[in-house]
Amino acid sequence: QVQLVESGGGLVQAGGSLRLSCAASGQTFSNYGMGWFRQAPGKEREFVAAISRSGGSTYYADSVKGRFTISRDNAKNTVYLQMDSLKPEDTAVYYCAAYTRALISARAGEYNYWGQGTQVTVSS
């Protein structure tokens, strides 16, 4: 079992920045690829970004490419999502998730463990 706890969400004006953190515990963190997803009210959960076990590979949704950066610190068992140039449409609950497959994944169904989520609200 892997436990994931997100933090860092909040209210920010459009054009601002936030950094989300996701702390993992329970298993060897470097055995898991990590991802961030988000869900806005009335919408389905969508992929945001993913990072491989070593951190050497990353993948982003087109909607956040160039604005968001995913990273990880395996010594601290933590994955981060730096969000810059935020837009009102980025408003959502953001979830981190862990998967065991070797290849990087954007599919929610391939993730084994999920955090509880953190709210991000971007005002216009």
Side-chain angles (χ1 to χ4, degrees), residues 46-118:
E46 66 173 357
F47 169 76
V48 175
I51 190 166
S52 61
R53 296 168 179 174
S54 67
S57 296
T58 58
Y59 182 65
Y60 297 91
D62 288 343
S63 59
V64 306
K65 199 173 296 182
R67 300 188 299 122
F68 290 10
T69 303
I70 188 171
S71 62
R72 66 189 295 161
D73 185 337
N74 285 348
K76 294 183 178 180
N77 293 349
T78 302
V79 63
Y80 305 97
L81 185 68
Q82 177 67 40
M83 305 186 294
D84 299 318
S85 302
L86 282 161
K87 305 175 181 180
E89 51 264 43
D90 294 318
T91 295
V93 177
Y94 282 71
Y95 299 89
C96 75
Y99 66 96
T100 57
R101 288 169 55 88
L103 297 178
I104 207 164
S105 176
R107 299 180 179 180
E110 294 182 349
Y111 284 74
N112 307 96
Y113 303 101
W114 293 82
Q116 294 298 309
T118 185

Side-chain angles (χ1 to χ4, degrees), residues 2-75:
V2 175
Q3 292 78 44
L4 302 172
V5 179
E6 302 97 335
S7 62
L11 174 65
V12 64
Q13 289 188 334
S17 298
L18 282 175
R19 188 176 82 154
L20 305 182
S21 299
C22 174
S25 62
Q27 296 289 334
T28 303
F29 182 62
S30 58
N31 286 346
Y32 294 86
M34 299 296 296
W36 286 95
F37 291 76
R38 66 186 182 186
Q39 188 167 17
K43 295 187 176 181
E44 294 187 354
R45 189 170 299 190
E46 66 173 357
F47 169 76
V48 175
I51 190 166
S52 61
R53 296 168 179 174
S54 67
S57 296
T58 58
Y59 182 65
Y60 297 91
D62 288 343
S63 59
V64 306
K65 199 173 296 182
R67 300 188 299 122
F68 290 10
T69 303
I70 188 171
S71 62
R72 66 189 295 161
D73 185 337
N74 285 348

